[in-house]
Amino acid sequence: MANPAEPLIGGLLIEVFFAFILYGVTCLQTFMYFQKYSGDSSTLKALAAAVWLLETVHTGFCMQFVYAYLVAGFGDSANMMNINWGIGITVLSSAGVSLCVQGYYTWRIWIISGKSVASAVIIGFFLFLRVALGIASTVFSYIYPQWDVFRHTTESLVTVSGGIGCAALVDLLVACMLIFYLKRGRHVWHKESNTMVNRILLYSVNTGAITGTTSLLCVILFAVKKTSLVFLGLVTVQTKLLANSLLGSLNARSHIRSKGSKPVYASSSSGGFRIRSPRVPVQVEVYQQTDVLNHSDLPSGNDEYNMKGLKGGEHLDAEV
C-alpha cells in the first residue's frame, strides 16, 4: 500500500524544516540589530520587534500543524485531507510580516523619491490588496475545511493566487523604483556615494529577485499541484525570506557606510597586507614676526658685546 503522506506532505515537511533554519537566522539578525543599533528610533525598533514576534508566532503554528498531521494524526489518511486550524493563523501572521516589511520598503521609496505620493500610493495599493486577500484566504480555509474542496473553489483560487501574486508584484515594484530613483540621483552625488548606491542596488535587486521568484513559484504550484501541499511550504519559506531581507537591510547599514571611509588593504610581496591610507589635504600656515627696537634698547658702543641690553640677554650672559 502506498504511503499517502509522502505525495501530500513530504515536500511540505522539507520546506518547513528549511523555514525553521531561516527562523534561526531571523533570531540572530534581530539580536544583532538591537545590540548594534541601540540608537535607532523607537519606530524602527518597534518594527524589528514586531517582525520577530510575528515570525515567532508563524514558526510556532507551523510546528503545530506539522505535528497534527504527522504525529497526532499518524496513520489517519482522512485527517491529512482536512485543513488544520493552525494553517489559517500562519497565513494571517505571514500577511502581517508582509505588511511590516513591504510597508517599510514603501516608506523608503517615498523618502528616496523626494516624497513622491504617486510611487507610494501605487505600491501601497497592491500591498494592502495582498494583506486583504491573505485575510480572505484565511476565512475561506475555515469555510471550506477540506483541501480538495478548498483547492477547487474559485474564491479560494482567486484569494490565494491573487494574494501571493500581489506580494510578488510589490517586490518587483520596490526593486524597480529603487533602481530608478537611485540611478537618477547618481550624477549629483559624490563618487563615494555612488559606490554605496551600487551596493544598495545590488542588495535590493538580489532580495527582490529571491522573494519575487518564491512568490511566483507558490502561485504556480498552487494551481498545478492539486494533490500536494508543497505550495504551503513555499509560502512559509517566503515569509522567512521577507523578514530576513528587512533585518538584513537594517544590519547592513554600517557595513555599507564604512566601505566608503575605510582605508584600502592591498597585498604586499611578503604575503601580508599594507595599508594605503586615503589622501588627506594638509594645510600649512606661515607666520612672520617683526621686532622693532628703539635706540635706547641697543647696547652702547663700549658694551657692544654686552647682551644684557637686549631682551633675553640675562639668560645669555648667565650661560656664558
Side-chain angles (χ1 to χ4, degrees):
M1 181 178 179
N3 183 7
E6 184 175 357
L8 183 65
I9 305 181
L12 170 65
L13 181 63
I14 296 173
E15 290 163 339
V16 168
F17 282 164
F18 182 68
F20 289 167
I21 296 174
L22 292 177
Y23 173 71
V25 178
T26 302
C27 292
L28 176 61
Q29 291 215 75
T30 305
F31 175 78
M32 290 173 60
Y33 169 74
F34 282 101
Q35 287 288 317
K36 195 173 184 180
Y37 296 96
S38 57
D40 271 0
S41 64
S42 56
T43 304
L44 273 181
K45 291 180 180 178
L47 178 65
V51 169
W52 177 82
L53 182 61
L54 288 170
E55 277 292 284
T56 302
V57 173
H58 184 267
T59 304
F61 280 97
C62 285
M63 293 180 181
Q64 185 272 329
F65 73 72
V66 169
Y67 183 89
Y69 280 135
L70 300 179
V71 179
F74 179 77
D76 187 358
S77 300
N79 178 61
M80 295 182 185
M81 302 307 298
N82 296 326
I83 301 177
N84 185 268
W85 64 271
I87 293 177
I89 300 179
T90 63
V91 174
L92 285 178
S93 57
S94 177
V97 171
S98 296
L99 180 63
C100 292
V101 175
Q102 295 176 327
Y104 168 77
Y105 288 149
T106 305
W107 171 79
R108 191 166 65 175
I109 292 291
W110 183 67
I111 295 296
I112 294 176
S113 64
K115 299 184 178 180
S116 172
V117 178
S119 300
V121 168
I122 292 173
I123 301 177
F125 170 76
F126 289 105
L127 173 58
F128 282 105
L129 183 60
R130 183 263 180 273
V131 175
L133 291 174
I135 296 173
S137 298
T138 302
V139 174
F140 285 127
S141 69
Y142 294 114
I143 295 176
Y144 307 108
Q146 289 81 32
W147 282 116
D148 56 346
V149 178
F150 181 83
R151 299 290 294 271
H152 293 85
T153 303
T154 304
E155 296 88 346
S156 302
L157 182 63
V158 170
T159 55
V160 174
S161 302
I164 301 174
C166 285
L169 182 58
V170 170
D171 290 332
L172 179 63
L173 288 174
V174 167
C176 291
M177 288 189 180
L178 271 178
I179 293 172
F180 172 74
Y181 286 116
L182 290 176
K183 279 186 172 292
R184 190 179 68 173
R186 288 180 63 178
H187 66 281
V188 298
W189 293 335
H190 194 268
K191 184 178 179 181
E192 291 183 355
S193 298
N194 289 336
T195 303
M196 288 190 289
V197 168
N198 291 334
R199 294 190 180 95
I200 296 173
L201 288 174
L202 181 63
Y203 180 83
S204 302
V205 171
N206 287 340
T207 53
I210 293 173
T211 54
T213 302
T214 306
S215 299
L216 289 177
L217 285 176
C218 292
V219 175
I220 294 172
L221 291 174
F222 178 76
V224 174
K225 291 284 188 179
K226 297 290 187 179
T227 59
S228 175
L229 298 181
V230 66
F231 83 96
L232 184 61
L234 276 181
V235 173
T236 303
V237 172
Q238 181 218 23
T239 305
K240 309 301 182 189
L241 291 174
L242 277 175
N244 279 293
S245 70
L246 170 67
L247 295 169
S249 64
L250 292 177
N251 288 328
R253 288 174 294 167
S254 61
H255 175 71
I256 293 175
R257 291 169 186 166
S258 63
K259 283 292 185 179
S261 59
K262 283 186 177 181
V264 179
Y265 294 86
S267 60
S268 64
S269 58
S270 60
F273 292 91
R274 57 185 173 87
I275 301 176
R276 185 167 66 248
S277 300
R279 296 181 179 179
V280 180
V282 178
Q283 182 179 2
V284 179
E285 296 182 357
V286 179
Y287 296 92
Q288 182 178 0
Q289 181 177 357
T290 305
D291 293 330
V292 180
L293 301 177
N294 297 325
H295 291 287
S296 60
D297 296 330
L298 296 175
S300 60
N302 295 331
D303 298 330
E304 64 178 285
Y305 296 107
N306 185 3
M307 302 300 295
K308 291 183 178 181
L310 296 176
K311 186 178 180 180
E314 297 85 351
H315 300 287
L316 292 176
D317 286 348
E319 291 178 359
V320 174

